Amino acid sequence: MKKLITSVLLSVAVVFSVCAQVPKFITVKGKEIIGVDNKPFLMRGTNLGNWLVPEGYMFKFKSVNSQRLINEALTELVGPEEMKLFWRKFQDTYVTEADIQFLKASGMNSIRIPFNYKLFTYEDYMGQNNPNRGFELLDRVIGWCKKANLYVMLDMHCAPGGQTGDNIDDGNGYPFLFTSAASRKLTADIWRKIANHYKNETIIMGYDLLNEPIAHYFKVDELNPHLEPTFKQITAAVRSVDKNHIVFIGGAQWDSNFKPFGKPFDSKSVYTFHKYWTEPVQKVIQDYVDFRDKYNVPIYVGETGENTDEWVRDFRILCEKNRIGWHYWPYKKLDNLKGITSFNVPDGYDEIIAYTEKPRASFEEIRKAAPADREKIKKALYGFLENSKFANCIPNKGYIEALGLKVPGK
């Protein structure tokens, strides 16, 4: 009997030991996102915009508004080799461990990281064609986040073929993803590769599969029916290797329209919407709340902000009153009070802006538009990098406090 009792106790101990070693992931239950403590987890954080998906307006450019166009214009100014060096330094400078520590110390519990699919292919992007560059960059920042206990959401901001049809997907001006089986397969394959790489990483909350699909400029009645099947295809690829993480499903027309969706098709899914420049009142979010109630599924706002401190505060309070987590946009932006932090315009930078606004449709126009002093332009570009370093960034105290957060050390 003594041996039997000992054997049973040992078996129980082994079971408890195994259970204790099972990693805990953020998950979902009914209408709530559930933290590793088994309590509801309300996301409160920001987006690392512009880092892996440069946007023209973040550089104070107008018509030159996607990475492809930014790269083209700046290459005309300083040459291809200099631009390769610039983009490499940009990726190593714009977001560092000091930035992550600051965000955690402010009171945030999570961040959303936009990326371009090209970081996982041999296609040229930001000066490289290294299919492992995405993992090199993300592994680094995820390591910093793990040390800080700051949760991470990975957001495919730019998908093969283009899922939006505007500058934010860095594509060709139309959401070709939804008319191309090859692009959809590539999207699913890349997500499978990403999910397989991170399937056991507990600091990752999940995957925002397609940012802001199908802009309103197009025949949305023809394109919208393709949205949910595309999400199902991508989700199936993720689930073939990773059953641990949440998949985030974004609405049509800039993540605003849930009407193309039926009953949730994945047991660990959250439906995400974006909301800018509306009144911070209940009727603006009621359709999403109704969707949540109808299908008993969590919702969350992946992007919002870029507004006055008062609006930021009121919309944040509205979301939290409705148990909706948020990631405000953006964390860091040149000469900007409508975000978490700002940094100063470098000397000589106005000449770069001026160049991007001149006609450049022919080589003759490029020659006429080009500044005489290219060294001055190069100095201004590297001044942008220097000013964007965390040590030189300026916290926007009013904006941060409107989010219910604090400026660390103050």
Side-chain angles (χ1 to χ4, degrees), residues 273-326:
F273 66 96
H274 295 177
K275 197 59 63 178
Y276 289 102
W277 312 303
T278 61
E279 288 185 274
V281 294
Q282 185 69 31
K283 66 181 181 181
V284 167
I285 64 169
Q286 192 59 49
D287 284 348
Y288 312 115
V289 173
D290 292 343
F291 184 92
R292 175 179 68 185
D293 293 344
K294 178 179 179 180
Y295 289 118
N296 195 36
V297 65
I299 60 173
Y300 128 93
V301 58
E303 287 184 28
T304 186
E306 295 210 288
N307 212 314
T308 65
D309 294 350
E310 292 76 18
W311 188 96
V312 164
R313 178 199 62 213
D314 292 348
F315 191 71
R316 187 261 304 175
I317 290 171
L318 175 70
C319 288
E320 293 180 350
K321 178 182 174 183
N322 284 271
R323 297 293 305 161
I324 298 171
W326 45 265

Short mmCIF file of all heavy atoms in Angstrom, two decimals, residues 273-326:
data_model
loop_
_atom_site.label_atom_id
_atom_site.label_comp_id
_atom_site.label_asym_id
_atom_site.label_seq_id
_atom_site.Cartn_x
_atom_site.Cartn_y
_atom_site.Cartn_z
N PHE A 273 -11.48 47.19 -35.18
CA PHE A 273 -11.88 48.34 -35.98
C PHE A 273 -10.93 49.50 -35.70
O PHE A 273 -10.24 49.53 -34.68
CB PHE A 273 -13.34 48.73 -35.69
CG PHE A 273 -13.60 49.26 -34.30
CD1 PHE A 273 -13.64 50.62 -34.04
CD2 PHE A 273 -13.85 48.38 -33.24
CE1 PHE A 273 -13.90 51.11 -32.77
CE2 PHE A 273 -14.10 48.86 -31.96
CZ PHE A 273 -14.13 50.23 -31.73
N HIS A 274 -10.89 50.44 -36.64
CA HIS A 274 -10.11 51.68 -36.51
C HIS A 274 -11.08 52.85 -36.55
O HIS A 274 -12.09 52.79 -37.24
CB HIS A 274 -9.09 51.82 -37.63
CG HIS A 274 -8.02 50.78 -37.61
ND1 HIS A 274 -7.03 50.70 -38.58
CD2 HIS A 274 -7.78 49.76 -36.75
CE1 HIS A 274 -6.22 49.68 -38.29
NE2 HIS A 274 -6.66 49.10 -37.19
N LYS A 275 -10.74 53.91 -35.84
CA LYS A 275 -11.65 55.03 -35.80
C LYS A 275 -10.87 56.33 -35.63
O LYS A 275 -10.16 56.54 -34.65
CB LYS A 275 -12.64 54.88 -34.63
CG LYS A 275 -13.86 55.74 -34.73
CD LYS A 275 -14.68 55.50 -35.99
CE LYS A 275 -15.26 54.10 -36.08
NZ LYS A 275 -16.09 53.93 -37.30
N TYR A 276 -10.99 57.20 -36.64
CA TYR A 276 -10.34 58.51 -36.62
C TYR A 276 -11.37 59.60 -36.91
O TYR A 276 -12.28 59.42 -37.71
CB TYR A 276 -9.26 58.60 -37.70
CG TYR A 276 -8.01 57.78 -37.46
CD1 TYR A 276 -7.81 56.57 -38.12
CD2 TYR A 276 -7.01 58.23 -36.61
CE1 TYR A 276 -6.64 55.84 -37.94
CE2 TYR A 276 -5.84 57.50 -36.42
CZ TYR A 276 -5.67 56.31 -37.08
OH TYR A 276 -4.50 55.59 -36.90
N TRP A 277 -11.17 60.75 -36.28
CA TRP A 277 -11.84 62.00 -36.66
C TRP A 277 -13.37 61.91 -36.69
O TRP A 277 -14.03 62.46 -37.55
CB TRP A 277 -11.30 62.51 -38.00
CG TRP A 277 -9.81 62.49 -38.02
CD1 TRP A 277 -8.97 63.11 -37.14
CD2 TRP A 277 -8.96 61.75 -38.92
NE1 TRP A 277 -7.67 62.83 -37.44
CE2 TRP A 277 -7.62 62.00 -38.52
CE3 TRP A 277 -9.20 60.94 -40.02
CZ2 TRP A 277 -6.54 61.45 -39.20
CZ3 TRP A 277 -8.12 60.38 -40.68
CH2 TRP A 277 -6.81 60.64 -40.27
N THR A 278 -13.91 61.18 -35.76
CA THR A 278 -15.36 61.14 -35.57
C THR A 278 -15.68 61.76 -34.21
O THR A 278 -14.77 62.05 -33.43
CB THR A 278 -15.87 59.68 -35.58
OG1 THR A 278 -15.25 58.98 -34.49
CG2 THR A 278 -15.54 58.98 -36.89
N GLU A 279 -16.93 61.92 -33.93
CA GLU A 279 -17.30 62.34 -32.58
C GLU A 279 -16.98 61.22 -31.60
O GLU A 279 -17.20 60.04 -31.92
CB GLU A 279 -18.79 62.65 -32.51
CG GLU A 279 -19.24 63.91 -33.20
CD GLU A 279 -20.71 64.16 -32.93
OE1 GLU A 279 -21.54 63.62 -33.69
OE2 GLU A 279 -21.03 64.89 -31.98
N PRO A 280 -16.49 61.53 -30.41
CA PRO A 280 -16.21 60.48 -29.42
C PRO A 280 -17.47 60.13 -28.63
O PRO A 280 -17.55 60.34 -27.42
CB PRO A 280 -15.14 61.13 -28.54
CG PRO A 280 -15.45 62.59 -28.59
CD PRO A 280 -16.01 62.84 -29.95
N VAL A 281 -18.45 59.58 -29.35
CA VAL A 281 -19.75 59.29 -28.74
C VAL A 281 -20.16 57.84 -29.03
O VAL A 281 -19.66 57.22 -29.97
CB VAL A 281 -20.83 60.26 -29.25
CG1 VAL A 281 -20.54 61.69 -28.78
CG2 VAL A 281 -20.95 60.21 -30.77
N GLN A 282 -21.10 57.34 -28.27
CA GLN A 282 -21.49 55.93 -28.30
C GLN A 282 -21.94 55.47 -29.69
O GLN A 282 -21.61 54.37 -30.12
CB GLN A 282 -22.60 55.67 -27.28
CG GLN A 282 -22.99 54.20 -27.13
CD GLN A 282 -21.92 53.35 -26.49
OE1 GLN A 282 -21.16 53.83 -25.65
NE2 GLN A 282 -21.84 52.08 -26.87
N LYS A 283 -22.68 56.31 -30.40
CA LYS A 283 -23.23 55.87 -31.68
C LYS A 283 -22.13 55.53 -32.70
O LYS A 283 -22.34 54.73 -33.62
CB LYS A 283 -24.16 56.94 -32.27
CG LYS A 283 -23.49 58.24 -32.66
CD LYS A 283 -24.49 59.25 -33.21
CE LYS A 283 -23.81 60.56 -33.62
NZ LYS A 283 -24.79 61.55 -34.14
N VAL A 284 -20.95 56.11 -32.51
CA VAL A 284 -19.83 55.86 -33.43
C VAL A 284 -19.31 54.43 -33.31
O VAL A 284 -18.83 53.84 -34.29
CB VAL A 284 -18.71 56.89 -33.16
CG1 VAL A 284 -17.42 56.49 -33.84
CG2 VAL A 284 -19.13 58.27 -33.62
N ILE A 285 -19.40 53.86 -32.13
CA ILE A 285 -18.88 52.50 -31.91
C ILE A 285 -20.00 51.46 -31.72
O ILE A 285 -19.71 50.28 -31.55
CB ILE A 285 -17.95 52.45 -30.69
CG1 ILE A 285 -18.70 52.79 -29.39
CG2 ILE A 285 -16.75 53.37 -30.89
CD1 ILE A 285 -17.92 52.52 -28.12
N GLN A 286 -21.25 51.88 -31.79
CA GLN A 286 -22.35 50.98 -31.43
C GLN A 286 -22.45 49.77 -32.35
O GLN A 286 -22.75 48.66 -31.89
CB GLN A 286 -23.68 51.74 -31.42
CG GLN A 286 -24.83 50.95 -30.79
CD GLN A 286 -24.54 50.56 -29.35
OE1 GLN A 286 -24.13 51.39 -28.55
NE2 GLN A 286 -24.72 49.28 -29.02
N ASP A 287 -22.18 49.93 -33.65
CA ASP A 287 -22.25 48.79 -34.57
C ASP A 287 -21.28 47.69 -34.16
O ASP A 287 -21.58 46.50 -34.27
CB ASP A 287 -21.95 49.23 -36.01
CG ASP A 287 -23.11 49.95 -36.66
OD1 ASP A 287 -24.23 49.92 -36.09
OD2 ASP A 287 -22.91 50.56 -37.73
N TYR A 288 -20.11 48.09 -33.68
CA TYR A 288 -19.10 47.11 -33.28
C TYR A 288 -19.51 46.43 -31.96
O TYR A 288 -19.33 45.21 -31.80
CB TYR A 288 -17.73 47.79 -33.14
CG TYR A 288 -17.41 48.66 -34.33
CD1 TYR A 288 -17.28 50.04 -34.19
CD2 TYR A 288 -17.28 48.12 -35.60
CE1 TYR A 288 -17.02 50.85 -35.27
CE2 TYR A 288 -17.02 48.91 -36.69
CZ TYR A 288 -16.89 50.28 -36.53
OH TYR A 288 -16.65 51.08 -37.61
N VAL A 289 -20.07 47.21 -31.06
CA VAL A 289 -20.59 46.64 -29.81
C VAL A 289 -21.72 45.65 -30.10
O VAL A 289 -21.78 44.57 -29.51
CB VAL A 289 -21.07 47.77 -28.87
CG1 VAL A 289 -21.76 47.18 -27.64
CG2 VAL A 289 -19.90 48.65 -28.45
N ASP A 290 -22.58 46.01 -31.05
CA ASP A 290 -23.69 45.10 -31.42
C ASP A 290 -23.14 43.81 -32.02
O ASP A 290 -23.68 42.72 -31.75
CB ASP A 290 -24.61 45.80 -32.43
CG ASP A 290 -25.39 46.95 -31.82
OD1 ASP A 290 -25.47 47.02 -30.56
OD2 ASP A 290 -25.92 47.78 -32.58
N PHE A 291 -22.10 43.91 -32.83
CA PHE A 291 -21.47 42.72 -33.41
C PHE A 291 -20.92 41.83 -32.30
O PHE A 291 -21.10 40.61 -32.31
CB PHE A 291 -20.35 43.14 -34.37
CG PHE A 291 -19.70 42.02 -35.11
CD1 PHE A 291 -20.15 41.61 -36.35
CD2 PHE A 291 -18.59 41.36 -34.56
CE1 PHE A 291 -19.53 40.57 -37.04
CE2 PHE A 291 -17.98 40.31 -35.24
CZ PHE A 291 -18.45 39.92 -36.48
N ARG A 292 -20.26 42.44 -31.35
CA ARG A 292 -19.72 41.70 -30.20
C ARG A 292 -20.83 40.97 -29.46
O ARG A 292 -20.69 39.79 -29.13
CB ARG A 292 -19.00 42.66 -29.25
CG ARG A 292 -18.51 42.00 -27.96
CD ARG A 292 -17.79 42.99 -27.06
NE ARG A 292 -18.68 44.01 -26.52
CZ ARG A 292 -18.28 45.04 -25.78
NH1 ARG A 292 -16.99 45.22 -25.54
NH2 ARG A 292 -19.14 45.91 -25.32
N ASP A 293 -21.92 41.68 -29.21
CA ASP A 293 -23.02 41.08 -28.45
C ASP A 293 -23.72 39.97 -29.23
O ASP A 293 -24.12 38.95 -28.67
CB ASP A 293 -24.03 42.16 -28.06
CG ASP A 293 -23.46 43.17 -27.06
OD1 ASP A 293 -22.41 42.85 -26.45
OD2 ASP A 293 -24.04 44.25 -26.91
N LYS A 294 -23.86 40.17 -30.53
CA LYS A 294 -24.53 39.18 -31.36
C LYS A 294 -23.76 37.86 -31.43
O LYS A 294 -24.35 36.77 -31.33
CB LYS A 294 -24.72 39.74 -32.78
CG LYS A 294 -25.39 38.76 -33.75
CD LYS A 294 -25.56 39.38 -35.13
CE LYS A 294 -26.21 38.40 -36.10
NZ LYS A 294 -26.39 39.01 -37.46
N TYR A 295 -22.43 37.98 -31.57
CA TYR A 295 -21.62 36.78 -31.78
C TYR A 295 -20.80 36.36 -30.57
O TYR A 295 -20.07 35.36 -30.65
CB TYR A 295 -20.69 37.00 -32.98
CG TYR A 295 -21.43 37.03 -34.30
CD1 TYR A 295 -21.42 38.16 -35.10
CD2 TYR A 295 -22.14 35.92 -34.73
CE1 TYR A 295 -22.08 38.19 -36.32
CE2 TYR A 295 -22.81 35.93 -35.96
CZ TYR A 295 -22.78 37.06 -36.74
OH TYR A 295 -23.44 37.09 -37.95
N ASN A 296 -20.92 37.10 -29.47
CA ASN A 296 -20.20 36.75 -28.24
C ASN A 296 -18.70 36.61 -28.51
O ASN A 296 -18.06 35.61 -28.19
CB ASN A 296 -20.75 35.44 -27.65
CG ASN A 296 -20.30 35.21 -26.21
OD1 ASN A 296 -20.16 36.16 -25.44
ND2 ASN A 296 -20.03 33.97 -25.86
N VAL A 297 -18.13 37.66 -29.12
CA VAL A 297 -16.73 37.66 -29.53
C VAL A 297 -16.11 39.00 -29.13
O VAL A 297 -16.78 40.02 -29.14
CB VAL A 297 -16.64 37.43 -31.06
CG1 VAL A 297 -17.25 38.59 -31.83
CG2 VAL A 297 -15.20 37.20 -31.51
N PRO A 298 -14.83 39.02 -28.75
CA PRO A 298 -14.20 40.30 -28.36
C PRO A 298 -14.00 41.23 -29.55
O PRO A 298 -13.83 40.80 -30.70
CB PRO A 298 -12.85 39.87 -27.78
CG PRO A 298 -12.97 38.41 -27.50
CD PRO A 298 -13.93 37.88 -28.51
N ILE A 299 -13.99 42.53 -29.26
CA ILE A 299 -13.64 43.55 -30.24
C ILE A 299 -12.57 44.45 -29.63
O ILE A 299 -12.39 44.48 -28.41
CB ILE A 299 -14.85 44.40 -30.68
CG1 ILE A 299 -15.49 45.12 -29.48
CG2 ILE A 299 -15.87 43.54 -31.41
CD1 ILE A 299 -16.58 46.10 -29.86
N TYR A 300 -11.87 45.18 -30.48
CA TYR A 300 -10.81 46.07 -30.00
C TYR A 300 -10.52 47.10 -31.08
O TYR A 300 -10.74 46.84 -32.27
CB TYR A 300 -9.59 45.22 -29.63
CG TYR A 300 -8.26 45.61 -30.22
CD1 TYR A 300 -7.38 46.46 -29.55
CD2 TYR A 300 -7.87 45.09 -31.46
CE1 TYR A 300 -6.16 46.79 -30.11
CE2 TYR A 300 -6.64 45.42 -32.01
CZ TYR A 300 -5.80 46.28 -31.33
OH TYR A 300 -4.59 46.61 -31.88
N VAL A 301 -10.04 48.29 -30.68
CA VAL A 301 -9.71 49.33 -31.66
C VAL A 301 -8.20 49.37 -31.85
O VAL A 301 -7.44 49.69 -30.94
CB VAL A 301 -10.29 50.71 -31.24
CG1 VAL A 301 -9.80 51.17 -29.90
CG2 VAL A 301 -9.99 51.76 -32.30
N GLY A 302 -7.76 49.00 -33.06
CA GLY A 302 -6.33 48.85 -33.33
C GLY A 302 -5.63 50.15 -33.65
O GLY A 302 -4.42 50.26 -33.47
N GLU A 303 -6.38 51.12 -34.16
CA GLU A 303 -5.80 52.44 -34.43
C GLU A 303 -6.85 53.51 -34.15
O GLU A 303 -8.02 53.36 -34.51
CB GLU A 303 -5.37 52.58 -35.89
CG GLU A 303 -4.13 51.82 -36.27
CD GLU A 303 -3.73 52.10 -37.72
OE1 GLU A 303 -4.04 53.21 -38.22
OE2 GLU A 303 -3.13 51.21 -38.33
N THR A 304 -6.40 54.57 -33.54
CA THR A 304 -7.19 55.77 -33.32
C THR A 304 -6.24 56.85 -32.83
O THR A 304 -5.05 56.59 -32.64
CB THR A 304 -8.33 55.52 -32.31
OG1 THR A 304 -9.16 56.68 -32.24
CG2 THR A 304 -7.81 55.19 -30.92
N GLY A 305 -6.73 58.06 -32.66
CA GLY A 305 -5.86 59.12 -32.16
C GLY A 305 -5.62 60.19 -33.19
O GLY A 305 -6.50 60.55 -33.96
N GLU A 306 -4.39 60.73 -33.21
CA GLU A 306 -4.01 61.84 -34.09
C GLU A 306 -5.06 62.96 -34.01
O GLU A 306 -5.57 63.43 -35.04
CB GLU A 306 -3.80 61.36 -35.52
CG GLU A 306 -2.62 60.41 -35.62
CD GLU A 306 -1.93 60.45 -36.97
OE1 GLU A 306 -2.50 59.95 -37.94
OE2 GLU A 306 -0.81 60.98 -37.03
N ASN A 307 -5.36 63.35 -32.78
CA ASN A 307 -6.40 64.34 -32.55
C ASN A 307 -6.00 65.18 -31.32
O ASN A 307 -4.92 64.99 -30.77
CB ASN A 307 -7.74 63.64 -32.34
CG ASN A 307 -8.91 64.47 -32.85
OD1 ASN A 307 -9.00 65.67 -32.58
ND2 ASN A 307 -9.82 63.85 -33.58
N THR A 308 -6.88 66.06 -30.91
CA THR A 308 -6.58 66.89 -29.74
C THR A 308 -6.53 66.05 -28.48
O THR A 308 -7.09 64.95 -28.41
CB THR A 308 -7.66 67.97 -29.57
OG1 THR A 308 -8.92 67.32 -29.27
CG2 THR A 308 -7.80 68.82 -30.82
N ASP A 309 -5.89 66.59 -27.45
CA ASP A 309 -5.83 65.88 -26.17
C ASP A 309 -7.23 65.61 -25.63
O ASP A 309 -7.48 64.53 -25.06
CB ASP A 309 -5.04 66.71 -25.15
CG ASP A 309 -3.57 66.86 -25.52
OD1 ASP A 309 -3.13 66.18 -26.46
OD2 ASP A 309 -2.88 67.67 -24.87
N GLU A 310 -8.14 66.55 -25.82
CA GLU A 310 -9.50 66.38 -25.31
C GLU A 310 -10.21 65.23 -26.02
O GLU A 310 -10.87 64.40 -25.38
CB GLU A 310 -10.30 67.68 -25.50
CG GLU A 310 -9.83 68.84 -24.64
CD GLU A 310 -8.55 69.49 -25.16
OE1 GLU A 310 -8.19 69.28 -26.34
OE2 GLU A 310 -7.89 70.20 -24.35
N TRP A 311 -10.06 65.17 -27.34
CA TRP A 311 -10.69 64.08 -28.10
C TRP A 311 -10.07 62.74 -27.70
O TRP A 311 -10.80 61.75 -27.51
CB TRP A 311 -10.51 64.30 -29.60
CG TRP A 311 -11.29 63.33 -30.44
CD1 TRP A 311 -12.52 63.53 -30.98
CD2 TRP A 311 -10.88 62.00 -30.83
NE1 TRP A 311 -12.92 62.41 -31.68
CE2 TRP A 311 -11.93 61.45 -31.60
CE3 TRP A 311 -9.76 61.22 -30.60
CZ2 TRP A 311 -11.88 60.17 -32.14
CZ3 TRP A 311 -9.70 59.93 -31.13
CH2 TRP A 311 -10.75 59.42 -31.89
N VAL A 312 -8.76 62.72 -27.60
CA VAL A 312 -8.05 61.49 -27.21
C VAL A 312 -8.56 60.97 -25.87
O VAL A 312 -8.83 59.79 -25.70
CB VAL A 312 -6.53 61.77 -27.16
CG1 VAL A 312 -5.79 60.68 -26.40
CG2 VAL A 312 -5.98 61.91 -28.57
N ARG A 313 -8.71 61.88 -24.93
CA ARG A 313 -9.23 61.50 -23.60
C ARG A 313 -10.67 60.97 -23.69
O ARG A 313 -10.99 59.91 -23.16
CB ARG A 313 -9.19 62.71 -22.68
CG ARG A 313 -9.76 62.46 -21.28
CD ARG A 313 -10.11 63.78 -20.61
NE ARG A 313 -11.14 64.49 -21.36
CZ ARG A 313 -11.24 65.81 -21.46
NH1 ARG A 313 -10.35 66.59 -20.85
NH2 ARG A 313 -12.21 66.37 -22.16
N ASP A 314 -11.51 61.70 -24.41
CA ASP A 314 -12.93 61.33 -24.45
C ASP A 314 -13.15 60.00 -25.17
O ASP A 314 -13.97 59.19 -24.74
CB ASP A 314 -13.74 62.44 -25.14
CG ASP A 314 -13.80 63.71 -24.32
OD1 ASP A 314 -13.43 63.67 -23.12
OD2 ASP A 314 -14.21 64.76 -24.87
N PHE A 315 -12.40 59.78 -26.25
CA PHE A 315 -12.58 58.51 -26.97
C PHE A 315 -12.01 57.35 -26.17
O PHE A 315 -12.57 56.26 -26.16
CB PHE A 315 -11.94 58.57 -28.36
CG PHE A 315 -12.33 57.41 -29.23
CD1 PHE A 315 -13.61 57.32 -29.74
CD2 PHE A 315 -11.43 56.40 -29.52
CE1 PHE A 315 -13.99 56.25 -30.53
CE2 PHE A 315 -11.79 55.32 -30.32
CZ PHE A 315 -13.08 55.24 -30.83
N ARG A 316 -10.90 57.58 -25.50
CA ARG A 316 -10.32 56.54 -24.64
C ARG A 316 -11.31 56.15 -23.53
O ARG A 316 -11.53 54.96 -23.28
CB ARG A 316 -9.01 57.04 -24.05
CG ARG A 316 -8.22 56.00 -23.28
CD ARG A 316 -8.41 56.08 -21.78
NE ARG A 316 -8.08 57.41 -21.26
CZ ARG A 316 -8.26 57.76 -20.00
NH1 ARG A 316 -8.79 56.91 -19.13
NH2 ARG A 316 -7.97 58.99 -19.59
N ILE A 317 -11.91 57.13 -22.90
CA ILE A 317 -12.89 56.86 -21.83
C ILE A 317 -14.09 56.11 -22.40
O ILE A 317 -14.60 55.15 -21.78
CB ILE A 317 -13.32 58.18 -21.15
CG1 ILE A 317 -12.15 58.74 -20.34
CG2 ILE A 317 -14.53 57.95 -20.25
CD1 ILE A 317 -12.40 60.14 -19.80
N LEU A 318 -14.54 56.51 -23.59
CA LEU A 318 -15.66 55.83 -24.24
C LEU A 318 -15.34 54.35 -24.49
O LEU A 318 -16.15 53.46 -24.21
CB LEU A 318 -15.99 56.53 -25.56
CG LEU A 318 -17.06 55.86 -26.43
CD1 LEU A 318 -18.43 55.99 -25.78
CD2 LEU A 318 -17.07 56.50 -27.84
N CYS A 319 -14.15 54.10 -25.02
CA CYS A 319 -13.75 52.71 -25.29
C CYS A 319 -13.69 51.90 -24.00
O CYS A 319 -14.23 50.78 -23.93
CB CYS A 319 -12.40 52.69 -25.99
SG CYS A 319 -12.44 53.24 -27.70
N GLU A 320 -13.06 52.44 -22.99
CA GLU A 320 -12.90 51.70 -21.75
C GLU A 320 -14.24 51.46 -21.06
O GLU A 320 -14.47 50.40 -20.45
CB GLU A 320 -11.92 52.41 -20.83
CG GLU A 320 -10.50 52.41 -21.40
CD GLU A 320 -9.49 53.12 -20.53
OE1 GLU A 320 -9.90 53.79 -19.55
OE2 GLU A 320 -8.29 53.00 -20.83
N LYS A 321 -15.15 52.41 -21.16
CA LYS A 321 -16.50 52.24 -20.62
C LYS A 321 -17.20 51.06 -21.28
O LYS A 321 -18.00 50.34 -20.65
CB LYS A 321 -17.30 53.52 -20.85
CG LYS A 321 -18.75 53.47 -20.36
CD LYS A 321 -19.46 54.78 -20.70
CE LYS A 321 -20.94 54.70 -20.35
NZ LYS A 321 -21.65 55.94 -20.76
N ASN A 322 -16.87 50.82 -22.55
CA ASN A 322 -17.47 49.72 -23.30
C ASN A 322 -16.59 48.46 -23.32
O ASN A 322 -16.83 47.56 -24.11
CB ASN A 322 -17.76 50.17 -24.73
CG ASN A 322 -18.97 51.06 -24.84
OD1 ASN A 322 -20.09 50.59 -25.02
ND2 ASN A 322 -18.75 52.37 -24.74
N ARG A 323 -15.57 48.45 -22.47
CA ARG A 323 -14.66 47.30 -22.37
C ARG A 323 -13.99 47.00 -23.72
O ARG A 323 -13.89 45.86 -24.16
CB ARG A 323 -15.39 46.05 -21.87
CG ARG A 323 -15.96 46.17 -20.47
CD ARG A 323 -14.89 46.28 -19.41
NE ARG A 323 -13.92 45.18 -19.46
CZ ARG A 323 -12.71 45.23 -18.90
NH1 ARG A 323 -12.30 46.33 -18.30
NH2 ARG A 323 -11.90 44.18 -18.97
N ILE A 324 -13.51 48.08 -24.35
CA ILE A 324 -12.81 47.95 -25.63
C ILE A 324 -11.38 48.41 -25.44
O ILE A 324 -11.13 49.58 -25.11
CB ILE A 324 -13.50 48.79 -26.73
CG1 ILE A 324 -14.93 48.30 -26.96
CG2 ILE A 324 -12.69 48.73 -28.03
CD1 ILE A 324 -15.74 49.21 -27.87
N GLY A 325 -10.41 47.52 -25.64
CA GLY A 325 -9.01 47.88 -25.55
C GLY A 325 -8.57 48.71 -26.75
O GLY A 325 -9.28 48.77 -27.77
N TRP A 326 -7.40 49.33 -26.66
CA TRP A 326 -6.99 50.26 -27.70
C TRP A 326 -5.47 50.30 -27.88
O TRP A 326 -4.72 50.10 -26.96
CB TRP A 326 -7.50 51.68 -27.40
CG TRP A 326 -7.31 52.12 -25.97
CD1 TRP A 326 -8.24 52.04 -24.96
CD2 TRP A 326 -6.12 52.68 -25.37
NE1 TRP A 326 -7.71 52.53 -23.78
CE2 TRP A 326 -6.43 52.94 -24.00
CE3 TRP A 326 -4.85 53.01 -25.84
CZ2 TRP A 326 -5.49 53.50 -23.12
CZ3 TRP A 326 -3.93 53.56 -24.97
CH2 TRP A 326 -4.25 53.81 -23.63
#
